[in-house]
């Protein structure tokens, strides 16, 4: 087995969290490698066809998430948005009836994958596609080696610090860090793109996993009763086949209704929302809206309703058991209700940026100088606390 030994930061997974982490770490002047099992960046946000970049604002005209979260939103619409422009968001001024007037966009997945890849390359990140991180080895409470499989066979990377941006907390799981799985399981989804005489359109087939309290009674019903953990190879394959069949049936119904539509893209990774998350030094709860956290690394809003703002404590990104490991994206340490909020794209970018800088700074998260991390985040455009904005 070949051993490679030249990177400061290894980012595992190239979704929005991994892109943000790799970019942030590289901008700190570190040598960064990003392992991605697909052959494109963006994860669920590109290969999964989930192309709605949910709000950076609280719904009342105040921006909440900044830094790379905003940079990637703007990157995603470099050549135009598929729907919604950020320039229009402020017009909502908090009107509850103007549901769509939030600082969000719908973007083209293929373009975002290419643009984010160029951005990482320009910033010196080495991207290794087709590379599945399959295991990790620890010594004295730190990950020493990552095992990666790709076309070259099985490779071993010695690492200083690791960002787990796999979405499924795979790396934490491999090394026996404390994790928890999503008890309710995921519903079946079949989001796909079709084109017709009027253009190229996203079709959002499937329900939410956790019903939205503001829309109770108006929620879509799950497509089938079965729920999916997202952590079992056979079950995932069955889910993907059911998703494909649902797409076909949905499209046939479109045709029967007289639409001249063709399926243009189906997802190439399973459309799974919540699988496994870290049990970190702190578990953030949905009840902690508008709460000041001294170790905040950024803020997020609630895509489900206007108003709530959460400061994200650094302690939700690491555990004391594995000191050089930090998580980002849809597997950070939050309670089950908040998980459905923190898993979305802008939140993944917020935690990704913080994780990337932290991983660049240290190989021991428990000893990291949080003030120094916060200074670096501020220099990179992040606003940490609600009392530093015009929110209060
Ligand atoms: C049906 C559905 C609808 C959604 N709707 C929205 C929406 O409208 N707006 C919104 O903002 N969010 C939405 N989401 C959620 C959002 O898309 C994701 O939660 C978010 O994009 C997750 O980003 P991430 O980087 O944490 O993880 P992912 O996007 O899952 O990225 C993880 C990446 O890591 C790679 N990977 C995984 N394991 C390994 C490994 N062991 N080795 C190497 N690579 C690995 C994967 O290939 C993937 O590219 C939706 C999700 C679903 C399923």
């Amino acid at each position: 087995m070949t051993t490679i030994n030249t990177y400061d930061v290894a980012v595992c997974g190239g979704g929005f969290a991994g892109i943000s982490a790799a970019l942030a770490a590289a901008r700190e002047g570190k040598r960064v490698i990003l392992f991605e099992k697909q052959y494109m960046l963006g994860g669920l946000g590109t290969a999964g066809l989930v192309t709605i970049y949910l709000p950076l604002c609280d719904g009342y005209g105040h921006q909440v998430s900044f830094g790379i979260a905003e940079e990637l939103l703007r990157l995603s619409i470099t050549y135009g948005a598929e729907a919604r422009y950020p320039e229009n968001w402020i017009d909502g001024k908090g009107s509850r009836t103007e549901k769509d007037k939030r600082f969000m966009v719908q973007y083209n997945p293929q373009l975002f994958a290419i643009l984010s890849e160029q951005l990482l390359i320009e910033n010196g990140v080495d991207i290794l596609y087709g590379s599945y991180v399959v295991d990790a080895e620890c010594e004295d409470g730190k990950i020493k080696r990552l095992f990666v499989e790709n076309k070259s066979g099985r490779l071993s990377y010695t690492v200083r610090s690791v960002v787990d941006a796999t979405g499924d907390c795979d790396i934490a799981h491999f090394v026996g860090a404390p994790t928890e799985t999503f008890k309710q399981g995921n519903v079946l989804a079949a989001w796909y793109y079709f084109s017709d005489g009027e253009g190229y359109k996203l079709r959002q087939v499937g329900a939410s996993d956790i019903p939205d309290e503001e829309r109770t009674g108006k929620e879509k019903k799950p497509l089938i009763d079965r729920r999916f953990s997202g952590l079992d190879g056979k079950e995932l394959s069955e889910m993907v086949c059911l998703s494909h069949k649902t797409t076909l049936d949905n499209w046939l119904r479109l045709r029967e209704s007289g639409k001249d539509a063709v399926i243009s893209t189906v997802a190439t990774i399973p459309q799974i929302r919540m699988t496994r998350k870290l049990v970190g030094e702190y578990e953030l709860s949905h009840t902690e809206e508008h709460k000041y956290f001294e170790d905040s690394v950024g803020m997020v809003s609630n895509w489900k309703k206007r108003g709530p703002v959460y400061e994200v404590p650094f302690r939700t990104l690491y555990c004391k058991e594995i000191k050089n490991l930090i998580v980002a994206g849809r597997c950070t340490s939050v309670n089950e209700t908040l998980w459905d909020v923190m898993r979305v794209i802008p939140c993944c970018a917020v935690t990704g940026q913080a994780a990337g800088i932290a991983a660049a700074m240290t190989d021991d998260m428990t000893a990291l100088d949080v003030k120094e991390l916060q200074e670096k985040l501020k220099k990179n455009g992040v606003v940490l606390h609600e009392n530093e904005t015009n929110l209060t």
Side-chain angles (χ1 to χ4, degrees):
M1 185 166 37
T2 313
T3 298
I4 300 155
N5 184 20
T6 45
Y7 292 94
D8 301 309
V9 176
V11 177
C12 305
F16 273 78
I19 293 168
S20 307
L23 184 59
R27 284 179 176 162
E28 291 300 305
K30 299 296 175 190
R31 286 218 61 201
V32 180
I33 186 158
L34 184 149
F35 301 112
E36 169 53 55
K37 66 181 166 67
Q38 305 288 123
Y39 278 90
M40 73 193 293
L41 293 179
L44 278 164
T46 57
L49 302 184
V50 172
T51 53
I52 302 169
Y53 204 121
L54 283 168
L56 299 181
C57 71
D58 70 348
Y60 291 111
H62 308 114
Q63 186 171 351
V64 166
S65 303
F66 299 82
I68 288 179
E70 182 176 350
E71 182 179 351
L72 294 186
L73 179 144
R74 294 198 182 276
L75 181 76
S76 75
I77 53 163
T78 307
Y79 298 102
E82 283 190 351
R84 303 183 176 105
Y85 277 88
E87 284 65 31
N88 298 329
W89 73 283
I90 203 86
D91 298 350
K93 294 264 189 235
S95 156
R96 274 182 182 274
T97 51
E98 291 188 87
K99 190 172 152 284
D100 289 335
K101 289 274 174 67
R102 290 191 71 172
F103 191 167
M104 60 192 282
V105 297
Q106 190 183 321
Y107 56 89
N108 179 283
Q110 286 77 26
L111 263 178
F112 181 77
I114 295 170
L115 293 171
S116 56
E117 178 184 276
Q118 288 183 348
L119 180 66
L120 293 196
I121 292 169
E122 278 159 23
N123 280 273
V125 175
D126 283 352
I127 302 169
L128 207 63
Y129 282 137
S131 297
Y132 214 126
V133 184
V134 292
D135 207 352
E137 193 178 80
C138 274
E139 228 177 82
D140 301 328
K142 285 184 184 170
I143 298 174
K144 284 288 168 225
R145 294 207 293 171
L146 289 174
F147 298 99
V148 176
E149 289 181 355
N150 63 25
K151 199 71 181 164
S152 309
R154 194 174 169 93
L155 306 165
S156 141
Y157 285 80
T158 54
V159 291
R160 197 183 67 99
S161 52
V162 179
V163 180
D164 186 342
T166 60
D168 300 324
C169 235
D170 279 2
I171 316 303
H173 174 67
F174 294 150
V175 294
T179 58
E180 257 175 22
T181 53
F182 181 43
K183 292 177 196 68
Q184 303 177 46
N186 292 265
V187 296
L188 182 68
W191 289 30
Y192 70 98
Y193 271 89
F194 70 91
S195 43
D196 61 10
E198 294 157 18
Y200 174 69
K201 293 175 187 160
L202 174 65
R203 190 115 169 127
Q204 299 164 46
V205 182
S208 305
D209 290 296
I210 299 182
D212 181 341
E213 56 197 70
E214 280 206 343
R215 280 184 274 160
T216 307
K218 291 181 226 148
E219 283 282 318
K220 289 188 212 164
K221 286 205 166 43
L223 295 162
I224 53 172
D225 287 340
R226 187 170 168 192
R227 295 256 174 173
F228 302 87
S229 72
L231 295 170
D232 177 284
K234 184 163 181 286
E235 180 221 53
L236 271 171
S237 297
E238 287 167 3
M239 198 205 92
V240 167
C241 293
L242 284 166
S243 180
H244 289 162
K245 174 76 170 68
T246 306
T247 299
L248 179 65
D249 292 345
N250 190 280
W251 171 71
L252 286 172
R253 277 202 300 279
L254 264 186
R255 284 216 325 177
E256 278 157 21
S257 73
K259 245 195 181 341
D260 182 20
V262 279
I263 298 173
S264 45
T265 328
V266 294
T268 50
I269 55 175
Q271 293 173 334
I272 281 274
R273 292 178 172 96
M274 289 162 281
T275 56
R276 182 164 48 214
K277 62 181 166 76
L278 185 76
V279 177
E281 284 305 279
Y282 190 80
E283 183 183 90
L284 188 63
S285 158
H286 65 289
T287 58
E288 294 178 294
E289 55 191 63
H290 307 295
K291 183 168 168 184
Y292 178 89
F293 285 99
E294 200 164 347
D295 64 336
S296 171
V297 289
M299 291 183 286
V300 299
S301 62
N302 186 335
W303 63 274
K304 292 176 148 187
K305 58 179 174 186
R306 294 169 189 273
V309 172
Y310 297 92
E311 295 191 3
V312 181
F314 177 59
R315 287 163 295 156
T316 59
L317 307 185
Y318 72 93
C319 63
K320 61 177 179 313
E321 287 82 355
I322 311 291
K323 294 188 168 55
N324 62 345
L325 174 69
I326 186 154
V327 305
R330 59 184 173 90
C331 52
T332 62
S333 184
V334 294
N335 75 356
E336 200 135 307
T337 308
L338 193 62
W339 200 352
D340 205 29
V341 171
M342 281 302 293
R343 69 179 170 82
V344 302
I345 291 170
C347 310
C348 293
V350 167
T351 55
Q353 182 171 15
I357 297 182
M361 286 171 63
T362 185
D363 65 350
D364 184 353
M365 300 304 153
T366 63
L368 178 125
D369 181 343
V370 177
K371 288 270 170 287
E372 195 187 331
L373 168 65
Q374 290 173 321
E375 282 311 311
K376 287 178 186 287
L377 284 164
K378 281 202 258 183
K379 268 196 202 129
N380 284 284
V382 175
V383 180
L384 302 170
H385 301 289
E386 259 191 277
N387 64 11
E388 291 164 0
T389 64
N390 60 351
L391 282 166
T392 47

